[in-house]
Amino acid sequence: MFGPPGTGKSMLASRLPGILPPMTTEFALEVASIHSVAGLPIQDHDWCRPPYRAPHHTASSVAMVGGGSSPRPGEISLAHRGVLFLDELPEFGRQVLEVLREPMESGEIAISRAARQVTFPARFQVVAAMNPCPCGYLGHPTIECQCTPPQVLRYRAKISGPLLDRFDLHVEVPVQSGEVLMQRGGDGESSAVVRERVKSARKCQLLRGVVNSALSGNELHEYCQVDAASETMLSAAMERLGLSARALHRILRVARTLADLEAQEHIGRGHLVEALGYRKLDRQQTRNAQVSV
């Protein structure tokens, strides 16, 4: 999520666990085992609730991946089967961010020491938040940005392309007017309503035998089939945005999830267009590269 300060990025991230389905007994035992190794207490009242971890941007790479003379799990393993929230993403050290790349793909982290090697599970959902520029007000409707174009480029360059490529959704969180913020109630859905829709979509995925985030290449071809016109559109988007094969697979998984949320058997053109719309930072990086050249 990216947008000016105070638009609710951190609040939205903290609400995400509230719409996730409860963990199965198997997953809850996995999480409890990891927390036990780390010396953390197990809360009986939220036994099946997915964990939520939000390390500060000053955290070291060891704090993130784990370590020590007797290796203990770090933040990414403590977030196993849950959410890892990284606020102020560009403020994290480059080395800290880069160590996330492998576990985001493999779902585990191996820690090697002279005496032993330990592998901890780390299948987590990463949610990150960042400002659009160093001062935070680029694109703000009323506050003028004080940053120069080179400063903006350097700020965004702190997040490498390979890491950004691993984020399925790039969501802009814009500034809301005072009139909107002062409204009471409104047409929004409660977390309980959204959670039921998410549970139904998860059930559809499990009936296929695998959740969408874990779809392999062959399974993508089987469950994410699109018509000829949609294939042409995707090919054009890959060429224009410079998308990688990984990004294409993630777009297909997102489109499949959007279809599942609507209880649709097949992926429609609208689902693909919406999934492509969530790659906003890819478009910005393409424009920045063209400006730099």
Side-chain angles (χ1 to χ4, degrees):
M1 294 180 286
F2 61 99
T7 54
K9 301 185 294 294
S10 300
M11 181 271 292
L12 288 171
S14 66
R15 299 300 188 273
L16 180 58
I19 67 172
L20 294 178
M23 294 186 295
T24 63
T25 301
E26 178 187 357
F27 289 173
L29 288 172
E30 288 180 6
V31 172
S33 299
I34 295 170
H35 284 224
S36 177
V37 171
L40 298 179
I42 307 299
Q43 301 295 331
D44 293 336
H45 65 278
D46 55 1
W47 165 259
C48 291
R49 186 175 182 179
Y52 176 81
R53 304 291 299 184
H56 193 262
H57 60 76
T58 57
S60 66
S61 56
V62 173
M64 292 294 287
V65 303
S69 56
S70 179
R72 303 177 70 177
E75 290 291 342
I76 61 175
S77 292
L78 295 174
H80 180 61
R81 302 296 181 186
V83 176
L84 177 69
F85 177 51
L86 305 178
D87 199 7
E88 304 293 346
L89 183 64
E91 301 302 329
F92 280 83
R94 184 66 174 258
Q95 182 180 2
V96 175
L97 293 179
E98 293 306 305
V99 299
L100 292 174
R101 286 165 49 182
E102 181 181 349
M104 285 175 72
E105 291 289 332
S106 65
E108 61 182 23
I109 183 71
I111 301 173
S112 297
R113 294 293 181 265
R116 58 187 301 193
Q117 181 179 31
V118 178
T119 299
F120 291 118
R123 194 166 295 282
F124 51 91
Q125 184 172 358
V126 185
V127 180
M130 62 179 288
N131 296 326
C133 66
C135 79
Y137 295 106
L138 180 65
H140 196 284
T142 58
I143 302 178
E144 184 178 357
C145 175
Q146 302 298 318
C147 305
T148 64
Q151 287 176 324
V152 175
L153 288 177
R154 283 196 298 270
Y155 179 76
R156 295 183 178 179
K158 292 181 179 180
I159 306 171
S160 68
L163 178 63
L164 184 62
D165 203 34
R166 286 168 166 79
F167 284 93
D168 295 337
L169 310 177
H170 308 159
V171 181
E172 183 175 8
V173 185
V175 176
Q176 301 294 331
S177 66
E179 181 181 355
V180 172
L181 294 175
M182 293 299 293
Q183 289 179 354
R184 295 184 179 180
D187 300 327
E189 297 177 305
S190 67
S191 293
V193 173
V194 178
R195 182 168 58 250
E196 290 304 313
R197 190 161 64 247
V198 172
K199 287 170 66 175
S200 297
R202 176 71 64 86
K203 185 177 180 180
C204 290
Q205 297 171 29
L206 294 178
L207 287 175
R208 291 194 291 265
V210 60
V211 294
N212 292 343
S213 62
L215 288 172
S216 64
N218 291 333
E219 290 166 337
L220 280 170
H221 287 294
E222 181 177 357
Y223 300 124
C224 300
Q225 296 181 10
V226 297
D227 56 31
S230 297
E231 285 187 1
T232 301
M233 180 187 69
L234 283 174
S235 297
M238 287 191 68
E239 188 73 23
R240 185 170 66 255
L241 302 178
L243 298 176
S244 65
R246 178 190 292 113
L248 174 63
H249 288 173
R250 290 181 178 274
I251 288 169
L252 289 172
R253 292 188 183 105
V254 170
R256 177 66 268 172
T257 301
L258 293 170
D260 290 340
L261 288 169
E262 296 179 1
Q264 298 293 319
E265 182 178 356
H266 301 290
I267 296 175
R269 183 180 178 87
H271 301 134
L272 287 171
V273 170
E274 184 174 352
L276 280 167
Y278 289 126
R279 306 295 300 191
K280 289 186 177 182
L281 292 177
D282 287 331
R283 293 199 292 273
Q284 289 187 7
Q285 282 207 337
T286 301
R287 289 198 299 268
N288 292 341
Q290 291 171 347
V291 170
S292 299
V293 173

